[in-house]
Amino acid sequence: MTTNKPNRLAMEKSPYLLQHAYNPVDWFPWSEEAFDKATSEDKPIFLSIGYSTCHWCHVMERESFEDEEVAGLLNQYFVPIKVDREERPDIDHLYMSVCQAMTGQGGWPLTIIMTPDKKPFFAGTYFPKHDKWGRPGLLSILQQMHEKWTEERDKITRVSNKITDMLKPRVSATTPGEILTEATLHDAFHRFERAFDERYGGFGQSPKFPTPHNLMFLLRYALQHESEKALQMVEKTLNAMYRGGIYDHIGYGFARYSTDEKWLVPHFEKMLYDNALLAMTFTEAYQMTKKPFYKQVVEEIFTYVLRDMYSDEGSFFSAEDADSEGEEGKFYVWTPEEIKQVLGEQEGDLICRYYSITEGGNFEGKNIPHLIDQSIEDFARNNGMTQDEWSTLLHKAKEKLFQHREKRVHPHKDDKVLTSWNGLMIAALARASRVFKNVKWQDAAVSAVRFIENHLVRTDGRLLARYRDGEAAYPAYIDDYAFFVWGLLELYEAEFSPEYLQKAIHYNQQMIDLFWDEEHGGFFFYGKDSEQLFARPKEVYDGATPSGNSVAALNLLRLARITGNQQFEDLAEQQIKAFSGEISEHPSAHSYFLMAAQFAIGPTMEIVIAGTQGEKDTENMLEIIQSIFLPLSVFILHDEMKLREIVDLIPFIEEQRMKDGKATAYVCENFSCQSPVTESAQLEKILGNYFPGKRIKR
């Protein structure tokens, strides 16, 4: 049950904390007040970490945190603290490492019991109220931990000290080894090849996560090494994910992961970061193959994002819940009867057969629309229509179903704005805007940059991590800086405004000043000016999102090539060496970092177009470099109308001017430059020589 009396969380901005504001548990936010109370009353801390769109977090709340019996034990024997992992990823990262070290696994909700000085001695994830399914119940755990706290304090002290002593060097350490070479890239490819699911796409068995950066790495590998297999793995996976129920065929956008190997049954929550990274990956697949299908999916993803995840102020919300009306997936599922009520018998029957919507259902008696065993071409032919005729009918039917679905109770939307995830969406929109010539997407990316600078930068210039309801808070983490700089670099290469390059350099330098480890190399997760926890971790594992270190490494290399600043190159080299041991041991777990290694190994290319933006000859050259998939390249526009601005940032281009009053392309590969050319056809020919991927058999 909930109470009419709010607890301290009612004063917070986090949607997740506010969900718990009327629990009978006497929750504290993470604060000195909580730790002072624990110290003065000699009580352990009960730390619960989750996020607002987490299904099992909701289950544990309903079973335990709304329960008077559980609340009674928590309030009597513990000081309970709630943390939103998306607001405080530093806390989450550190205590998730504790959980993984103590139990061999992790996840959310994350449950930690620790001393008043923040040293953990118990860790786990979801617990039911009572013992069941072989899992201890929360009531039992709380009683046992209270007894141990009162009767075995010395043992708890030893355990908590041992855990923290063990973790401090582990989470902060770098693992230098031999410099990464092409052999590491080949090793990663072969590991992906062994794990690839030939039947359904993706890697491994259920559950299956999109992990788009794995596919981005394989696209680059396919390009560099003319690997038909690498491209086939990417295409199979992208097609399978789109066809499955993990994709919302009615309202668009991808869910967080699939619970089965077929991509049929999703965990229905939709995250901003997944849709940003997948839009980027589908864009790159289009650049590589020129297949219209990939463009269609990008357009649909952004239709969803700009409709449902975009604020009036110009920023992007974080997530949509899996649950509505207390049921997982209720918003998204259908019955044949409901389809036919909306569309009529004949059209409804076609749609049911197309999306495999049956009386028996595929999810708790209802249906998740999917195309796993279906193709638009075969369905149209088998039903006496051309593909265009069926596409027109399908589009109209989906619009009717979407409007009907809009009348349902919507899942909860987590409307906080995270700098990191907005950075990813800025990058995706900017890249797609230049490839597909979509000004609307570019404008949305620009608006999000302005929002961050207007609302998520302190008066002293320090970037912040979270904005909601008029309040910005928490010093930004490495992911915020790295992802935002990535977005700014993509925006520069989309519209070539020196403003965005200048901003990328500025925030990149601030990131170096705040996060760089001068002794061992690499970037710490939180800044030297942030709250200092019992350890200062570094993260390089590329999980659901790439790590901040991985993105920062590639940013440094791109900035080094664009600006000629050797410091950026040197830092990237130190960073790659610092983590090379860990990455060599598990290369496929560090796919985005390997993209930085691919760039470092090369061959890389710098392409400077000297010309006047807006003039036809200049725009023709820009269109060539922006449409081809050239991931190991950087693009620079030397517009003499903006001469001083750009030369101040990129001194080496001062002499790279227009020839004979014409737009002129300067192409340099691995520090060796071609003769400048003034014809678009000549530029296309030069780039074709450096585009081995065109020779992949398809």
Side-chain angles (χ1 to χ4, degrees), residues 12-26:
E12 296 298 306
K13 295 292 186 181
S14 157
Y16 176 63
L17 299 188
L18 290 170
Q19 286 173 350
H20 295 264
Y22 286 86
N23 293 167
V25 177
D26 189 17

Side-chain angles (χ1 to χ4, degrees), residues 39 92 137 225 311 318 354 362 386 429 445 448 517 574 593 605 631 672:
T39 300
D92 175 64
H225 301 288
S311 78
S318 294
Y354 185 64
N362 56 36
T386 66
L429 284 162
D517 181 351
Q574 290 177 51
F593 202 96
M605 192 184 305
S672 175

Side-chain angles (χ1 to χ4, degrees), residues 105-173:
Q105 59 188 12
W108 299 277
L110 176 60
T111 303
I112 300 287
I113 301 179
M114 59 187 183
T115 65
D117 56 354
K118 306 174 188 176
K119 294 182 178 180
F121 58 89
F122 176 87
T125 54
Y126 161 79
F127 295 102
K129 177 183 174 182
H130 298 287
D131 301 355
K132 63 177 179 180
W133 310 323
R135 298 178 72 92
L138 189 58
L139 285 174
S140 300
I141 291 167
L142 295 177
Q143 193 62 50
Q144 290 170 14
M145 290 301 106
H146 167 64
E147 290 169 3
K148 289 181 181 296
W149 181 256
T150 55
E151 298 170 12
E152 301 179 39
R153 183 70 62 87
D154 289 346
K155 183 177 179 181
I156 282 178
T157 301
R158 289 195 303 273
V159 168
S160 62
N161 285 335
K162 183 178 179 181
I163 291 167
T164 52
D165 289 345
M166 174 191 70
L167 274 171
K168 279 180 184 178
R170 180 187 295 187
V171 299
S172 303

Side-chain angles (χ1 to χ4, degrees), residues 37 42 178 247 310 326 364 376 390 419 462 482 487 514 548 592 676:
K37 178 180 172 69
D42 191 30
E178 298 298 319
Y247 188 71
Y310 192 51
E364 298 180 0
I376 191 169
W390 173 237
T419 300
R462 177 61 152 97
L514 290 166
Y592 199 99

Side-chain angles (χ1 to χ4, degrees), residues 431-665:
R431 174 73 68 86
S433 75
R434 71 175 169 89
V435 172
F436 301 119
K437 303 302 173 191
N438 190 308
V439 176
K440 179 181 177 183
W441 298 345
Q442 183 174 301
D443 289 346
V446 169
S447 293
V449 170
R450 288 178 181 151
F451 180 92
I452 289 171
E453 292 217 295
N454 289 336
H455 298 284
L456 280 153
V457 177
R458 269 189 339 217
T459 54
D460 63 358
R462 177 61 152 97
L463 197 62
L464 298 173
R466 184 273 285 153
Y467 174 91
R468 184 175 186 272
D469 194 22
E471 179 193 89
Y474 309 113
Y477 310 99
I478 184 63
D479 291 7
D480 298 291
Y481 276 92
F483 297 176
F484 187 40
V485 170
W486 180 12
L488 290 166
L489 286 173
E490 295 294 342
L491 197 49
Y492 169 70
E493 291 190 345
E495 64 169 61
F496 295 107
S497 169
E499 170 192 0
Y500 298 113
L501 180 57
Q502 189 276 328
K503 290 179 191 299
I505 294 168
H506 168 74
Y507 288 109
N508 193 73
Q509 187 59 54
Q510 197 177 101
M511 178 184 73
I512 294 167
D513 295 341
L514 290 166
F515 298 89
W516 182 255
D517 181 351
E518 295 287 352
E519 186 175 358
H520 301 292
F523 292 98
F524 289 113
F525 190 82
Y526 59 81
K528 62 186 180 183
D529 60 341
S530 300
E531 178 185 358
Q532 302 299 300
L533 304 172
F534 74 77
R536 196 175 174 201
K538 291 177 193 161
E539 179 60 86
V540 72
Y541 167 64
D542 295 321
T545 62
S547 72
N549 264 296
S550 299
V551 175
L554 186 51
N555 289 344
L556 285 167
L557 289 165
R558 290 175 70 183
L559 280 168
R561 293 291 193 275
I562 291 171
T563 65
N565 186 327
Q566 187 62 37
Q567 181 208 12
F568 296 153
E569 185 96 20
D570 293 344
L571 288 175
E573 183 180 349
Q574 290 177 51
Q575 193 180 4
I576 291 172
K577 286 181 179 178
F579 296 112
S580 61
E582 179 179 344
I583 290 163
S584 296
E585 191 172 344
H586 305 288
S588 58
H590 302 87
S591 56
Y592 199 99
F593 202 96
L594 291 182
M595 288 162 56
Q598 285 172 317
F599 199 99
I601 294 166
T604 55
M605 192 184 305
E606 298 86 50
I607 305 170
V608 178
I609 307 297
T612 303
Q613 198 164 14
E615 294 293 331
K616 186 175 181 181
D617 56 350
T618 303
E619 294 300 323
N620 286 342
M621 286 189 168
L622 292 178
E623 185 168 351
I624 290 169
I625 65 174
Q626 291 178 321
S627 62
I628 298 175
F629 186 49
L630 296 170
L632 304 189
S633 306
V634 295
F635 311 135
I636 300 164
L637 174 63
H638 184 179
D639 188 338
E640 294 189 24
M641 302 295 289
K642 303 174 183 176
L643 180 62
R644 194 69 267 151
E645 295 174 72
I646 197 67
V647 170
D648 285 346
L649 298 170
I650 315 173
F652 72 83
I653 68 168
E654 186 160 16
E655 302 306 317
Q656 294 177 328
R657 304 287 186 95
M658 296 170 67
K659 301 287 186 184
D660 303 322
K662 296 180 179 178
T664 305

